[in-house]
Amino acid sequence: MGILRVVYNITSNKPPSYREYDDGTESEQSRSTTPDIRASSRAPLLGNQDELEDDTSVGIKQETPSSIRRAGAVATDWVKGPKPPRPWKITPIFPSIQEAPIRLLDKYAPLKWQRFVLLAALYFAYILAFVLVLRKSAFASDVPGYGSPARISCGASFWSAKNACGLDGLNCRPFSNDTLAFRCPAACIKTLALNPHAVGDQEVIYQPVVIGGPTNSSDPLGSAIYRADSFICASAIHAGFINDREGGCGVVSLVGEARNYPSSSAHGINSTAFPSSFPRSFSFLPGTQARCKDLRWPLLGVSVTFTALLALFTTSVPVFFFTIYTSLFFHVALASDPPNRADYHDLVSLATGKFLPSTFVMWVIYRYCARRTLTNLTAQAEKTVLWLGACWVGALNNYTFDRIPIQRLTPHDLHQPGAIPALIIIVLAIFFIALGQAWAIRVEGKMPQYLALYGLMVFTLLMLLAVPGMNVRIHHYILALLLVPGTAMQNRPSLLYQGLLIGLFINGIARWGYDSILQTPGELLGDGQLDSLLPTILAPIVTASNITFSWLPIPRDRYDGISVLVNDVERFRGYVGEFEGEVVDGVMDGGVVSHAVDGGVERWTWERRKSDEGRSEFFRFGYMSGSSVGDYTKAGVWRGNGAWVHMEKGASK
């Protein structure tokens, strides 16, 4: 309640009280006719106490240099702003034009019941149009012979990262002779790998993971083979099976092992080459494209039209504010940036579950910030363009600010192209915006209250930063909550910034929910590198048909095993205590795998299959603790001609 009281004081129209200072300025209290009770009824004991206090204050003043006291008084007066304060009020540009919708409404619907009927009709028309278009967009017809398509996310694939598919990929079977009717949303081309994704001795980052594909555009669709860890939807776009603007449906077929994945560029996506074998691949079945489209752009037209009409013709602040909030919330949650859910009914349930707590937060924002900005605002066109337009920009964050190359505000993101210039521009923009808003706040005489409020916020953030083992993550909705109090005044910049921040809040909650401001390092890393200890691999022994690796003993205080990836598939997993004598781990299509101990140095042998003769093979090693694996080394390459290229220093994913 203390925070709400501070915000209420900020947003109230009452000028701040002030006291008498040494520079001669008078307070309102000093001009009051109320008698001085302390002077008229002072007891002897109280009199002595007052004299003591006066003597103490005089002593302090005498000890403080007069220049410092004068500077302090000047600074205090400056912070308190002009006297009397000057509240901001927007005077419409071309008022006859901007107020025309209000006059039109006064002329043809002057009574409240008439306006209520018009508003209800507008609500009904919008909800009907939104539901009909959404139904056509969300629920596709069956793919003939394959049933209803499953909704998949833009980053879905048939293979898991690191060794999650298990030894020899057994957890990701079947490798072939299976099909999936799928449905991809629109705009999957902008779903990128934000952490390095290892493909042999290469790393894919800041682009869609697409490995393989057709060698040229004239190749038939069925000949385009993709490695199983490729993004299915991005691969479908790359193959020309669906388009990025509307998404699409179809059937993908698992075709088992392939031994060469060429690189090609098609439909705005550059695929990555992989010149070796992989046990699971997929292609798209020609002629199975179903007539399903992601109609988010027509839905955007419906929602923008409705909200613009409401903004132009509505003078009621609560009707405008809460209608816009509700419309944008469900538009984001169900159409423009929905969470990844295979079943659309689950998506609706998730959206309604977030809506109620978000409504309470929006009521607080309305009560202490937005109401002050929007009350008695007759500039209908400026309200529509500045506040509503900026709100849509924030709500469509996945198409606007997500393109800025610092998506997660982590140090890792600064390595992507253009990140540092983007960060500099953002910091400078926020700095100058903050200066402008601070000046506007001072003009209204509310600087002391704002300093107290933001001082409390900074103190809270510093306390959170001091929590051991946790990282502070400023999500979209938290950024909006921190900054929106600074827009609680009626001027054009505040109109713009407030709409933008509320749009960011809506997008953050409707898409991601209330993620914690405190997160563990693992949560921030996601599937990225852990900066864990890497095995020390000695120079291997290479023969015509096999290669034997050895490594220094496993540090048993932290790890109890080691994992080996061959061509990005786990082919060996051994634990401390198992390295006793010569043991054959398995036979895989003629490839014999064995490990042993020789003088405390563990070694492991891989035999090349006949089907892979003449092809390069890629080896990566990582320590294990139980069933969890740390980072893998970069890939060492056993070339087809028998030459060995040792792995470079550092980790891979």
Side-chain angles (χ1 to χ4, degrees):
M1 292 300 295
I3 295 176
L4 298 184
R5 190 177 296 111
V6 172
V7 179
Y8 175 77
N9 291 336
I10 291 173
T11 56
S12 64
N13 292 323
K14 296 180 181 180
S17 60
Y18 52 93
R19 300 178 184 273
E20 184 176 358
Y21 292 93
D22 292 339
D23 60 357
T25 58
E26 292 184 351
S27 67
E28 293 180 0
Q29 288 86 348
S30 67
R31 293 193 296 269
S32 174
T33 58
T34 303
D36 189 347
I37 297 175
R38 187 176 62 182
S40 61
S41 58
R42 181 178 298 160
L45 179 60
L46 293 178
N48 294 337
Q49 181 68 25
D50 289 341
E51 291 175 5
L52 180 61
E53 292 176 355
D54 292 341
D55 292 342
T56 303
S57 62
V58 170
I60 294 174
K61 289 182 179 180
Q62 290 177 349
E63 293 177 0
T64 305
S66 59
S67 59
I68 295 179
R69 285 190 282 114
R70 285 194 299 269
V74 171
T76 302
D77 283 346
W78 185 89
V79 167
K80 290 189 174 184
K83 302 169 184 177
R86 300 193 298 270
W88 292 95
K89 173 70 176 176
I90 292 179
T91 301
I93 302 173
F94 304 114
S96 60
I97 297 176
Q98 294 204 56
E99 296 172 4
I102 301 176
R103 293 196 301 271
L104 190 66
L105 201 62
D106 290 338
K107 180 177 180 180
Y108 292 101
L111 302 178
K112 286 186 177 181
W113 71 267
Q114 295 173 325
R115 299 188 179 191
F116 177 80
V117 170
L118 287 176
L119 183 62
L122 182 62
Y123 283 168
F124 176 79
Y126 169 66
I127 293 173
L128 180 63
F130 187 85
V131 169
L132 290 177
V133 178
L134 183 65
R135 184 178 183 278
K136 185 176 179 59
S137 174
F139 300 98
S141 57
D142 292 351
V143 178
Y146 295 93
S148 178
R151 295 173 56 88
I152 62 175
S153 68
C154 291
S157 71
F158 288 112
W159 199 264
S160 302
K162 292 186 175 180
N163 66 341
C165 282
L167 199 61
D168 297 333
L170 296 178
N171 297 340
C172 292
R173 286 185 177 273
F175 293 160
S176 61
N177 300 321
D178 198 10
T179 58
L180 171 70
F182 69 94
R183 176 172 189 167
C184 289
C188 281
I189 200 171
K190 67 183 184 63
T191 298
L192 314 177
L194 297 180
N195 292 310
H197 183 92
V199 181
D201 58 346
Q202 309 170 75
E203 286 186 346
V204 177
I205 188 169
Y206 305 129
Q207 68 181 65
V209 179
V210 178
I211 306 163
T215 54
N216 56 69
S217 58
S218 62
D219 289 345
L221 180 64
S223 67
I225 306 297
Y226 296 90
R227 213 173 82 160
D229 53 343
S230 301
F231 294 166
I232 298 172
C233 293
S235 299
I237 296 170
H238 180 262
F241 189 68
I242 63 174
N243 68 71
D244 181 61
R245 179 176 177 81
E246 298 176 336
C249 302
V251 177
V252 60
S253 174
L254 295 175
V255 297
E257 185 179 61
R259 291 184 172 83
N260 183 46
Y261 300 85
S263 173
S264 61
S265 179
H267 305 102
I269 296 177
N270 297 320
S271 70
T272 302
F274 182 64
S276 195
S277 61
F278 198 82
R280 200 181 199 195
S281 309
F282 64 86
S283 65
F284 301 97
L285 296 183
T288 61
Q289 296 98 321
R291 299 185 61 183
C292 67
K293 296 180 179 180
D294 187 331
L295 300 178
R296 62 182 61 190
W297 297 111
L299 274 171
L300 178 63
V302 171
S303 295
V304 168
T305 301
F306 164 72
T307 53
L309 288 174
L310 187 80
L312 288 171
F313 287 93
T314 301
T315 56
S316 170
V317 177
V319 169
F320 167 76
F321 183 83
F322 288 102
T323 302
I324 296 300
Y325 153 66
T326 303
S327 173
L328 266 66
F329 184 92
F330 283 103
H331 182 90
V332 172
L334 301 178
S336 67
D337 196 12
N340 297 325
R341 288 294 185 275
D343 185 86
Y344 209 83
H345 297 93
D346 290 341
L347 194 63
V348 174
S349 175
L350 183 64
T352 53
K354 297 175 182 176
F355 179 71
L356 185 59
S358 301
T359 302
F360 173 75
V361 177
M362 292 303 290
W363 177 85
V364 175
I365 293 176
Y366 165 77
R367 176 68 177 80
Y368 296 102
C369 300
R371 186 173 66 170
R372 172 69 183 87
T373 306
L374 298 172
T375 298
N376 298 323
L377 178 63
T378 59
Q380 299 295 90
E382 291 179 77
K383 177 178 70 175
T384 302
V385 173
L386 296 178
W387 199 98
L388 179 61
C391 194
W392 271 112
V393 170
L396 297 174
N397 175 66
N398 54 320
Y399 292 99
T400 53
F401 299 111
D402 258 7
R403 297 181 180 273
I404 300 175
I406 48 173
Q407 293 91 339
R408 298 169 298 177
L409 296 177
T410 61
H412 175 270
D413 285 341
L414 297 180
H415 296 293
Q416 54 186 310
I420 293 179
L423 181 62
I424 294 173
I425 293 172
I426 290 172
V427 170
L428 289 176
I430 292 176
F431 174 75
F432 286 112
I433 288 172
L435 283 182
Q437 290 301 101
W439 177 79
I441 290 168
R442 177 186 173 274
V443 169
E444 285 204 341
K446 297 177 181 178
M447 181 66 80
Q449 295 98 317
Y450 270 93
L451 289 177
L453 176 63
Y454 279 98
L456 179 61
M457 291 182 181
V458 170
F459 174 77
T460 302
L461 289 175
L462 291 176
M463 294 296 292
L464 293 175
L465 285 170
V467 176
M470 303 292 288
N471 293 326
V472 173
R473 176 79 182 274
I474 305 298
H475 300 281
H476 297 86
Y477 78 95
I478 296 175
L479 182 67
L481 294 178
L482 290 174
L483 299 182
V484 77
T487 64
M489 66 196 84
Q490 194 182 103
N491 59 11
R492 290 177 177 87
S494 296
L495 210 61
L496 177 71
Y497 305 148
Q498 188 177 102
L500 180 65
L501 292 170
I502 289 175
L504 284 174
F505 174 85
I506 292 172
N507 178 269
I509 299 303
R511 175 62 177 89
W512 304 105
Y514 290 94
D515 276 358
S516 174
I517 190 173
L518 285 178
Q519 292 186 316
T520 63
E523 288 177 312
L524 290 178
L525 284 171
D527 61 351
Q529 296 172 356
L530 306 174
D531 294 328
S532 60
L533 187 65
L534 298 173
T536 300
I537 309 301
L538 305 178
I541 300 172
V542 182
T543 68
S545 60
N546 61 52
I547 183 170
T548 299
F549 296 94
S550 57
W551 52 85
L552 296 183
I554 297 172
R556 301 191 181 189
D557 58 329
R558 299 174 60 183
Y559 303 101
D560 60 357
I562 195 165
S563 170
V564 183
L565 303 184
V566 182
N567 292 343
D568 304 323
V569 180
E570 188 177 44
R571 298 301 187 185
F572 171 73
R573 184 185 297 186
Y575 291 91
V576 172
E578 296 180 358
F579 301 100
E580 302 295 342
E582 189 78 15
V583 180
V584 176
D585 282 304
V587 178
M588 190 192 68
D589 296 334
V592 179
V593 184
S594 65
H595 68 263
V597 172
D598 184 10
V601 177
E602 295 143 9
R603 58 186 177 86
W604 173 79
T605 300
W606 170 264
E607 185 166 336
R608 176 172 279 165
R609 299 180 301 173
K610 291 184 178 181
S611 57
D612 286 328
E613 290 180 355
R615 299 184 184 278
S616 296
E617 294 186 297
F618 305 89
F619 298 81
R620 297 189 286 141
F621 300 77
Y623 284 131
M624 296 196 67
S625 177
S627 59
S628 300
V629 67
D631 290 331
Y632 284 94
T633 64
K634 292 185 181 297
V637 185
W638 186 20
R639 298 198 182 280
N641 60 8
W644 168 253
V645 180
H646 203 72
M647 61 277 295
E648 298 177 358
K649 293 182 179 180
S652 66
K653 180 179 170 184

Short mmCIF file of all heavy atoms in Angstrom, two decimals, residues 468-509:
data_model
loop_
_atom_site.label_atom_id
_atom_site.label_comp_id
_atom_site.label_asym_id
_atom_site.label_seq_id
_atom_site.Cartn_x
_atom_site.Cartn_y
_atom_site.Cartn_z
N PRO A 468 22.29 -14.47 -3.74
CA PRO A 468 23.33 -15.35 -4.29
C PRO A 468 22.76 -16.45 -5.17
O PRO A 468 21.68 -16.98 -4.90
CB PRO A 468 23.98 -15.94 -3.03
CG PRO A 468 22.92 -15.86 -1.97
CD PRO A 468 22.13 -14.63 -2.27
N GLY A 469 23.49 -16.76 -6.23
CA GLY A 469 23.12 -17.86 -7.11
C GLY A 469 21.95 -17.57 -8.03
O GLY A 469 21.46 -18.47 -8.70
N MET A 470 21.50 -16.31 -8.09
CA MET A 470 20.36 -15.95 -8.94
C MET A 470 20.73 -14.75 -9.80
O MET A 470 21.59 -13.94 -9.43
CB MET A 470 19.12 -15.63 -8.10
CG MET A 470 18.68 -16.74 -7.17
SD MET A 470 18.04 -18.17 -8.05
CE MET A 470 16.48 -17.54 -8.65
N ASN A 471 20.07 -14.63 -10.94
CA ASN A 471 20.28 -13.50 -11.85
C ASN A 471 18.97 -12.73 -12.00
O ASN A 471 17.89 -13.33 -12.03
CB ASN A 471 20.74 -13.98 -13.22
CG ASN A 471 22.13 -14.59 -13.17
OD1 ASN A 471 22.97 -14.15 -12.40
ND2 ASN A 471 22.37 -15.61 -13.98
N VAL A 472 19.08 -11.42 -12.09
CA VAL A 472 17.91 -10.57 -12.32
C VAL A 472 17.63 -10.51 -13.81
O VAL A 472 18.52 -10.21 -14.60
CB VAL A 472 18.12 -9.16 -11.74
CG1 VAL A 472 16.97 -8.25 -12.13
CG2 VAL A 472 18.26 -9.22 -10.23
N ARG A 473 16.40 -10.81 -14.20
CA ARG A 473 15.99 -10.78 -15.61
C ARG A 473 14.83 -9.81 -15.75
O ARG A 473 13.76 -10.01 -15.15
CB ARG A 473 15.58 -12.18 -16.08
CG ARG A 473 15.05 -12.22 -17.51
CD ARG A 473 16.18 -12.19 -18.52
NE ARG A 473 15.67 -12.17 -19.87
CZ ARG A 473 15.33 -13.26 -20.58
NH1 ARG A 473 15.45 -14.46 -20.02
NH2 ARG A 473 14.90 -13.16 -21.82
N ILE A 474 15.03 -8.74 -16.49
CA ILE A 474 13.99 -7.73 -16.70
C ILE A 474 13.18 -8.14 -17.93
O ILE A 474 13.61 -7.92 -19.07
CB ILE A 474 14.59 -6.33 -16.88
CG1 ILE A 474 15.48 -5.98 -15.68
CG2 ILE A 474 13.47 -5.30 -17.02
CD1 ILE A 474 14.77 -5.92 -14.36
N HIS A 475 12.03 -8.75 -17.70
CA HIS A 475 11.17 -9.18 -18.79
C HIS A 475 10.38 -8.00 -19.36
O HIS A 475 10.39 -6.89 -18.79
CB HIS A 475 10.22 -10.27 -18.31
CG HIS A 475 10.90 -11.49 -17.77
ND1 HIS A 475 11.43 -12.47 -18.58
CD2 HIS A 475 11.18 -11.88 -16.50
CE1 HIS A 475 11.98 -13.41 -17.84
NE2 HIS A 475 11.85 -13.08 -16.57
N HIS A 476 9.64 -8.26 -20.44
CA HIS A 476 8.85 -7.20 -21.06
C HIS A 476 7.90 -6.56 -20.06
O HIS A 476 7.82 -5.33 -19.95
CB HIS A 476 8.03 -7.77 -22.23
CG HIS A 476 8.83 -8.31 -23.35
ND1 HIS A 476 9.30 -9.60 -23.37
CD2 HIS A 476 9.27 -7.74 -24.49
CE1 HIS A 476 9.97 -9.80 -24.48
NE2 HIS A 476 9.98 -8.69 -25.18
N TYR A 477 7.17 -7.39 -19.34
CA TYR A 477 6.14 -6.85 -18.47
C TYR A 477 6.76 -6.11 -17.28
O TYR A 477 6.19 -5.11 -16.79
CB TYR A 477 5.20 -7.96 -17.99
CG TYR A 477 5.72 -8.83 -16.89
CD1 TYR A 477 5.40 -8.56 -15.56
CD2 TYR A 477 6.51 -9.94 -17.15
CE1 TYR A 477 5.87 -9.37 -14.53
CE2 TYR A 477 6.97 -10.75 -16.13
CZ TYR A 477 6.65 -10.46 -14.83
OH TYR A 477 7.11 -11.27 -13.82
N ILE A 478 7.92 -6.54 -16.81
CA ILE A 478 8.59 -5.86 -15.70
C ILE A 478 9.10 -4.50 -16.15
O ILE A 478 8.99 -3.49 -15.43
CB ILE A 478 9.73 -6.73 -15.14
CG1 ILE A 478 9.16 -8.02 -14.54
CG2 ILE A 478 10.53 -5.97 -14.09
CD1 ILE A 478 10.21 -9.00 -14.08
N LEU A 479 9.67 -4.44 -17.34
CA LEU A 479 10.14 -3.16 -17.89
C LEU A 479 8.98 -2.17 -17.98
O LEU A 479 9.13 -0.99 -17.63
CB LEU A 479 10.76 -3.39 -19.27
CG LEU A 479 11.33 -2.15 -19.96
CD1 LEU A 479 12.55 -1.63 -19.20
CD2 LEU A 479 11.70 -2.46 -21.41
N ALA A 480 7.82 -2.63 -18.43
CA ALA A 480 6.66 -1.76 -18.53
C ALA A 480 6.22 -1.26 -17.15
O ALA A 480 5.93 -0.07 -16.97
CB ALA A 480 5.52 -2.49 -19.22
N LEU A 481 6.18 -2.16 -16.17
CA LEU A 481 5.75 -1.77 -14.83
C LEU A 481 6.72 -0.78 -14.19
O LEU A 481 6.32 0.10 -13.42
CB LEU A 481 5.60 -3.01 -13.95
CG LEU A 481 4.48 -3.98 -14.33
CD1 LEU A 481 4.48 -5.18 -13.39
CD2 LEU A 481 3.12 -3.30 -14.32
N LEU A 482 8.00 -0.91 -14.49
CA LEU A 482 8.99 0.00 -13.93
C LEU A 482 8.88 1.41 -14.53
O LEU A 482 9.08 2.41 -13.82
CB LEU A 482 10.40 -0.54 -14.15
CG LEU A 482 10.81 -1.78 -13.35
CD1 LEU A 482 12.18 -2.27 -13.80
CD2 LEU A 482 10.81 -1.49 -11.86
N LEU A 483 8.58 1.50 -15.81
CA LEU A 483 8.66 2.78 -16.50
C LEU A 483 7.32 3.50 -16.66
O LEU A 483 7.30 4.72 -16.83
CB LEU A 483 9.29 2.58 -17.89
CG LEU A 483 10.71 2.02 -17.91
CD1 LEU A 483 11.22 1.91 -19.34
CD2 LEU A 483 11.65 2.88 -17.08
N VAL A 484 6.21 2.77 -16.60
CA VAL A 484 4.94 3.41 -16.90
C VAL A 484 4.55 4.49 -15.88
O VAL A 484 3.85 5.44 -16.26
CB VAL A 484 3.82 2.34 -17.04
CG1 VAL A 484 3.35 1.81 -15.69
CG2 VAL A 484 2.64 2.88 -17.84
N PRO A 485 4.95 4.44 -14.60
CA PRO A 485 4.61 5.58 -13.72
C PRO A 485 5.18 6.91 -14.22
O PRO A 485 4.60 7.97 -13.95
CB PRO A 485 5.24 5.18 -12.37
CG PRO A 485 5.28 3.70 -12.39
CD PRO A 485 5.58 3.35 -13.82
N GLY A 486 6.28 6.88 -14.93
CA GLY A 486 6.86 8.11 -15.45
C GLY A 486 6.10 8.73 -16.60
O GLY A 486 6.51 9.76 -17.13
N THR A 487 4.98 8.13 -16.99
CA THR A 487 4.16 8.67 -18.08
C THR A 487 2.82 9.18 -17.58
O THR A 487 1.92 9.43 -18.40
CB THR A 487 3.92 7.59 -19.15
OG1 THR A 487 3.14 6.52 -18.59
CG2 THR A 487 5.24 7.03 -19.66
N ALA A 488 2.66 9.34 -16.27
CA ALA A 488 1.36 9.71 -15.70
C ALA A 488 1.14 11.22 -15.78
O ALA A 488 0.98 11.91 -14.77
CB ALA A 488 1.27 9.23 -14.26
N MET A 489 1.14 11.75 -16.98
CA MET A 489 0.86 13.16 -17.22
C MET A 489 0.33 13.29 -18.64
O MET A 489 0.51 12.39 -19.47
CB MET A 489 2.11 14.01 -17.01
CG MET A 489 3.21 13.75 -18.02
SD MET A 489 4.80 14.40 -17.52
CE MET A 489 5.36 13.08 -16.48
N GLN A 490 -0.33 14.38 -18.92
CA GLN A 490 -0.97 14.51 -20.23
C GLN A 490 -0.16 15.43 -21.13
O GLN A 490 -0.41 16.63 -21.25
CB GLN A 490 -2.40 15.04 -20.09
CG GLN A 490 -3.21 14.88 -21.36
CD GLN A 490 -4.62 15.45 -21.24
OE1 GLN A 490 -4.90 16.53 -21.74
NE2 GLN A 490 -5.50 14.73 -20.55
N ASN A 491 0.85 14.86 -21.76
CA ASN A 491 1.54 15.54 -22.86
C ASN A 491 1.79 14.51 -23.95
O ASN A 491 1.62 13.30 -23.74
CB ASN A 491 2.82 16.23 -22.40
CG ASN A 491 3.82 15.26 -21.77
OD1 ASN A 491 3.66 14.05 -21.85
ND2 ASN A 491 4.84 15.81 -21.15
N ARG A 492 2.19 14.95 -25.09
CA ARG A 492 2.30 14.04 -26.23
C ARG A 492 3.37 12.97 -26.06
O ARG A 492 3.12 11.80 -26.41
CB ARG A 492 2.52 14.85 -27.52
CG ARG A 492 1.27 15.64 -27.93
CD ARG A 492 1.49 16.50 -29.16
NE ARG A 492 0.26 17.17 -29.54
CZ ARG A 492 -0.14 18.35 -29.03
NH1 ARG A 492 0.63 18.97 -28.13
NH2 ARG A 492 -1.28 18.89 -29.41
N PRO A 493 4.56 13.29 -25.55
CA PRO A 493 5.52 12.20 -25.32
C PRO A 493 4.99 11.14 -24.37
O PRO A 493 5.17 9.94 -24.61
CB PRO A 493 6.74 12.93 -24.74
CG PRO A 493 6.64 14.31 -25.28
CD PRO A 493 5.18 14.61 -25.30
N SER A 494 4.32 11.55 -23.29
CA SER A 494 3.78 10.57 -22.35
C SER A 494 2.70 9.73 -23.00
O SER A 494 2.57 8.53 -22.71
CB SER A 494 3.22 11.29 -21.11
OG SER A 494 4.24 11.95 -20.40
N LEU A 495 1.91 10.32 -23.87
CA LEU A 495 0.88 9.57 -24.59
C LEU A 495 1.52 8.46 -25.41
O LEU A 495 1.06 7.30 -25.42
CB LEU A 495 0.11 10.54 -25.50
CG LEU A 495 -1.36 10.23 -25.81
CD1 LEU A 495 -2.19 10.22 -24.55
CD2 LEU A 495 -1.90 11.27 -26.79
N LEU A 496 2.61 8.79 -26.09
CA LEU A 496 3.32 7.81 -26.92
C LEU A 496 3.98 6.72 -26.06
O LEU A 496 3.81 5.52 -26.31
CB LEU A 496 4.36 8.53 -27.77
CG LEU A 496 5.24 7.66 -28.66
CD1 LEU A 496 4.45 7.09 -29.82
CD2 LEU A 496 6.44 8.46 -29.18
N TYR A 497 4.74 7.13 -25.04
CA TYR A 497 5.49 6.16 -24.23
C TYR A 497 4.55 5.25 -23.44
O TYR A 497 4.82 4.05 -23.30
CB TYR A 497 6.43 6.89 -23.27
CG TYR A 497 7.38 7.86 -23.93
CD1 TYR A 497 7.80 9.02 -23.28
CD2 TYR A 497 7.86 7.63 -25.22
CE1 TYR A 497 8.66 9.92 -23.88
CE2 TYR A 497 8.72 8.52 -25.83
CZ TYR A 497 9.12 9.67 -25.16
OH TYR A 497 9.98 10.56 -25.77
N GLN A 498 3.47 5.81 -22.93
CA GLN A 498 2.55 4.99 -22.14
C GLN A 498 1.89 3.92 -23.00
O GLN A 498 1.79 2.75 -22.59
CB GLN A 498 1.48 5.87 -21.50
CG GLN A 498 0.60 5.13 -20.52
CD GLN A 498 -0.40 6.06 -19.85
OE1 GLN A 498 -1.56 6.07 -20.21
NE2 GLN A 498 0.06 6.83 -18.88
N GLY A 499 1.45 4.28 -24.19
CA GLY A 499 0.87 3.28 -25.08
C GLY A 499 1.86 2.18 -25.42
O GLY A 499 1.52 1.00 -25.41
N LEU A 500 3.12 2.56 -25.68
CA LEU A 500 4.15 1.58 -26.02
C LEU A 500 4.41 0.63 -24.86
O LEU A 500 4.49 -0.60 -25.04
CB LEU A 500 5.43 2.31 -26.40
CG LEU A 500 6.63 1.44 -26.79
CD1 LEU A 500 6.34 0.67 -28.06
CD2 LEU A 500 7.88 2.30 -26.97
N LEU A 501 4.52 1.16 -23.65
CA LEU A 501 4.81 0.32 -22.48
C LEU A 501 3.65 -0.62 -22.17
O LEU A 501 3.86 -1.79 -21.81
CB LEU A 501 5.12 1.21 -21.28
CG LEU A 501 6.44 2.00 -21.37
CD1 LEU A 501 6.53 3.02 -20.24
CD2 LEU A 501 7.64 1.06 -21.33
N ILE A 502 2.43 -0.14 -22.29
CA ILE A 502 1.29 -1.02 -22.03
C ILE A 502 1.21 -2.12 -23.09
O ILE A 502 0.89 -3.28 -22.79
CB ILE A 502 -0.01 -0.19 -21.98
CG1 ILE A 502 -0.01 0.66 -20.70
CG2 ILE A 502 -1.24 -1.08 -22.05
CD1 ILE A 502 -1.17 1.61 -20.58
N GLY A 503 1.55 -1.80 -24.33
CA GLY A 503 1.61 -2.83 -25.36
C GLY A 503 2.66 -3.88 -25.06
O GLY A 503 2.45 -5.08 -25.25
N LEU A 504 3.84 -3.46 -24.57
CA LEU A 504 4.88 -4.41 -24.19
C LEU A 504 4.42 -5.29 -23.03
O LEU A 504 4.71 -6.49 -23.00
CB LEU A 504 6.16 -3.66 -23.80
CG LEU A 504 6.99 -3.09 -24.95
CD1 LEU A 504 8.15 -2.26 -24.39
CD2 LEU A 504 7.51 -4.19 -25.86
N PHE A 505 3.71 -4.70 -22.07
CA PHE A 505 3.19 -5.50 -20.96
C PHE A 505 2.22 -6.56 -21.47
O PHE A 505 2.30 -7.74 -21.09
CB PHE A 505 2.48 -4.59 -19.95
CG PHE A 505 1.79 -5.34 -18.86
CD1 PHE A 505 2.47 -5.73 -17.73
CD2 PHE A 505 0.44 -5.67 -18.96
CE1 PHE A 505 1.84 -6.44 -16.71
CE2 PHE A 505 -0.21 -6.38 -17.96
CZ PHE A 505 0.49 -6.76 -16.83
N ILE A 506 1.32 -6.17 -22.36
CA ILE A 506 0.34 -7.11 -22.90
C ILE A 506 1.04 -8.24 -23.64
O ILE A 506 0.73 -9.43 -23.46
CB ILE A 506 -0.65 -6.37 -23.81
CG1 ILE A 506 -1.54 -5.43 -22.98
CG2 ILE A 506 -1.51 -7.36 -24.60
CD1 ILE A 506 -2.42 -4.53 -23.82
N ASN A 507 2.01 -7.91 -24.49
CA ASN A 507 2.72 -8.95 -25.24
C ASN A 507 3.48 -9.88 -24.30
O ASN A 507 3.47 -11.11 -24.48
CB ASN A 507 3.69 -8.32 -26.23
CG ASN A 507 4.49 -9.35 -27.00
OD1 ASN A 507 5.58 -9.74 -26.58
ND2 ASN A 507 3.97 -9.80 -28.12
N GLY A 508 4.15 -9.31 -23.30
CA GLY A 508 4.94 -10.13 -22.40
C GLY A 508 4.10 -11.14 -21.64
O GLY A 508 4.48 -12.31 -21.50
N ILE A 509 2.93 -10.72 -21.16
CA ILE A 509 2.09 -11.63 -20.37
C ILE A 509 1.34 -12.60 -21.27
O ILE A 509 1.28 -13.81 -21.00
CB ILE A 509 1.10 -10.83 -19.50
CG1 ILE A 509 1.87 -9.93 -18.53
CG2 ILE A 509 0.18 -11.78 -18.74
CD1 ILE A 509 2.83 -10.67 -17.63
#
